[in-house]
Structure formats: C-alpha cells, structure tokens
Amino acid sequence: MERDVRAPSLLRSLLEAYADRPDPRSVAVVGNQPLAPDEQRAKAIDSCDLVFRVNGFVCDERGGRPAVGSRTHVVVFNRALRATKWVFDDYPSRLYLLVEPGRLHWEPEDIPQWWPADLGFVPVSNREVTLPLSEALDLPTQAEGTWATTGTMAAWIARTTFPDAELVLTGFSFIDDPNQTAWEHAAGDSCIVGPEHQIAAEGRLLESWTSTGNTKFLR
C-alpha cells in the first residue's frame, strides 16, 4: 500500500536544523545489522546531507576499516535502548527522537536513570508517525500490541519527511531474511525478534521503495 504521508512541519523543521543543509537532497538511514567492511558503502552514508542511526548503533573507528561511516545527525531510539559508546558521542550536535508506540498500550513513560541529565529528546508522535506507518504495513496497532521496529520507523520518518531526497538504506537484515526469529546487532549483542513486530511486512515495504527511483538499499 503506497501513501504520500507528509511528516508534520515541526518535525521537518527540527530535522532540517540538524542536517548539513535545509531541504536535504540525500538522507541515509543505517540499521543495526552487522555489515562487512565496505569503503564505498561508508562513503555513501557519510556523503549524505542527513544521517539517521538507530538504538545501540556503531560507527566506524578512526584508523579502522570503513563499513557504516561515522557521521550522525539523528538518533532514533526506544526505551529499551542498550547504549553503545557511540550513542552519546558529541550529543549536543545531534537530534534524539524517542519512538514510543508501546505508550498506546502498556509502556510507561519512564526514562532510564543513566540518561544524560542535560540531554533533551523529542518524542515521536504516535498519531502522526506510528499509526500511518502501521496502516501502510496493515498492522492493527491501536487494537493490538503490534508495531514497526525502530529502524523501520526511522526509515519512514526519513522517507515521508523528505520524499524528494535520495534515500540510502542499509543494515536492515529483514529485507533479505524476513523469517528470522532472532538477530545479531552490529554492536555484538543479539536478541529475539519481538512478537510485536511483523518484519516480513516491513521488509516488503522498504524494498518497495527501491522501485521508486530515489531509494537504494546497500548490502
């Protein structure tokens, strides 16, 4: 199901404020799949005007083999975040977006005690982002505890906020493996695929964008 859902102007203004340029022409969203070194992939990510990373992400280390680049403008996270050393690096220069679809059902609004006291974040609207994405995925989010992964939410925000920009997606394992029941993270940890997620539907949605001409998926 294709929709032209424009993100709220306030969110767009915030994203543009952190991008390299107003009305960014290129946007990257980096998921947390472990990826082999690839200099061209890293360059493609770091050359974008706006780079999203998700939850406990990793960045390339200086002097190491390039794989996923190092530039980060926006961090999209949830309350189950397992922070890596890269999450709060240079945090005054980044926008932190908290997705909280579980607030529609059972999730409390508590923030972890280890969250930096001087770091603000912006809650992502369930009405304006989560539910339109769930509709595109055909998920009954309002009636049942099912919703998109944080990575797909980041990709949706990027695609719907800047529909004319070139979008680079990478690190989304469920595009190639939609039936997995557990996954590894780039930071070295692993977990089950939460029962609230329907990753096959998410993979189909993201892959469908690659046929529009301005979205590419880098493996």
Side-chain angles (χ1 to χ4, degrees):
M1 175 179 177
E2 292 189 7
R3 292 173 54 114
D4 182 14
V5 180
R6 304 285 170 147
S9 59
L10 176 59
L11 180 55
R12 182 183 177 107
S13 296
L14 283 169
L15 292 168
E16 287 184 329
Y18 284 85
D20 287 347
R21 51 175 294 155
D23 194 19
R25 296 178 181 175
S26 56
V27 181
V29 182
V30 185
N32 283 338
Q33 176 188 9
L35 294 170
D38 186 317
E39 185 175 359
Q40 295 306 310
R41 185 200 307 117
K43 286 183 177 179
I45 293 167
D46 279 348
S47 66
C48 287
D49 297 325
L50 185 63
V51 179
F52 289 71
R53 297 187 192 268
V54 178
N55 282 330
F57 63 87
V58 303
C59 289
D60 292 342
E61 296 274 23
R62 181 174 296 180
R65 297 182 66 188
V68 293
S70 59
R71 303 182 71 234
T72 306
H73 301 90
V74 183
V75 177
V76 184
F77 71 100
N78 61 50
R79 286 187 174 83
L81 167 70
R82 286 179 271 187
T84 65
K85 66 179 183 179
W86 294 276
V87 170
F88 299 122
D89 184 44
D90 194 27
Y91 63 78
S93 68
R94 298 172 174 175
L95 174 63
Y96 287 77
L97 297 178
L98 170 65
V99 297
E100 45 184 1
R103 290 291 302 282
L104 293 166
H105 297 282
W106 49 262
E107 189 176 51
E109 60 179 336
D110 296 340
I111 301 301
Q113 292 184 352
W114 45 260
W115 188 262
D118 61 341
L119 175 57
F121 58 86
V122 178
V124 172
S125 169
N126 284 324
R127 177 174 57 84
E128 296 173 334
V129 175
T130 304
L131 294 178
L133 170 55
S134 291
E135 184 177 348
L137 294 169
D138 198 25
L139 300 180
T141 297
Q142 287 186 294
E144 302 175 16
T146 180
W147 49 77
T149 59
T150 304
T152 297
M153 293 188 73
W156 177 265
I157 291 168
R159 179 74 289 165
T160 58
T161 306
F162 304 108
D164 299 322
E166 295 292 328
L167 179 62
V168 175
L169 300 175
T170 193
F172 290 88
S173 63
F174 50 71
I175 291 180
D176 293 322
D177 188 5
N179 298 314
Q180 63 190 297
T181 58
W183 43 29
E184 301 289 328
H185 296 141
D189 60 336
S190 62
C191 68
I192 65 168
V193 177
E196 69 272 20
H197 302 314
Q198 303 295 322
I199 59 173
E202 295 182 39
R204 289 192 297 270
L205 176 67
L206 299 190
E207 191 168 31
S208 72
W209 295 350
T210 64
S211 64
T212 65
N214 65 344
T215 300
K216 58 182 176 182
F217 178 61
L218 303 180
R219 289 173 170 82

